[in-house]
Amino acid sequence: QVHLVESGGGLVQAGGSLRLSCAASGRTFSAYGMGWFRQAPGKERELVTAINWSGGNTYYADSVKGRFTISRDNAKNTVYLQMNSLKPEDTAVYYCAAGGSGSASSNPWRYDYWGQGTQVTVSS
């Protein structure tokens, strides 16, 4: 079992930045691939970015390439999402997820554990 807790969400103006954190507890964090997903009102949950177990492989949705950066610190059992140049369309609840395959998967079905989410609101 892996327990995930997101933090760092909030309200920011367009063009601003936020850094989300996801702290993990439980089984070996370093074995898990990690993903950040988001869900806006009335829309399906979508993958934002993912990182493999070592941090050596990452995946980004086209909509966030060049603006968002995922990273992880296995010594601290934490994964981060640095979000720059935020846009109103980035407004959503952001969730982190852990996948036992260890890969940076874009498939939500490959993630076994999910956090409760943190709200990010970008005002225009």
Side-chain angles (χ1 to χ4, degrees):
Q1 187 76 14
V2 176
H3 183 58
L4 303 172
V5 178
E6 303 96 335
S7 61
L11 173 64
V12 64
Q13 289 188 331
S17 298
L18 281 174
R19 188 193 196 202
L20 305 184
S21 299
C22 174
S25 60
R27 302 182 69 177
T28 308
F29 172 76
S30 60
Y32 286 83
M34 299 297 296
W36 284 99
F37 292 77
R38 67 185 180 188
Q39 187 166 19
K43 295 187 177 181
E44 294 185 355
R45 189 173 297 189
E46 62 174 358
L47 175 75
V48 176
T49 179
I51 190 167
N52 76 330
W53 66 274
S54 69
N57 188 30
T58 57
Y59 172 91
Y60 292 92
D62 288 343
S63 58
V64 306
K65 281 181 181 177
R67 300 189 298 123
F68 290 12
T69 303
I70 190 171
S71 61
R72 67 188 297 160
D73 186 336
N74 286 343
K76 295 182 178 180
N77 285 6
T78 303
V79 63
Y80 304 97
L81 178 60
Q82 178 67 44
M83 305 186 294
N84 299 327
S85 303
L86 282 161
K87 305 175 181 180
E89 51 264 44
D90 294 318
T91 295
V93 177
Y94 283 70
Y95 300 88
C96 72
S101 71
S103 64
S105 178
S106 61
N107 184 347
W109 293 103
R110 300 200 72 180
Y111 291 88
D112 306 299
Y113 303 101
W114 294 80
Q116 292 300 305
T118 185
Q119 177 70 46
V120 171
T121 303
V122 184
S123 63
S124 58

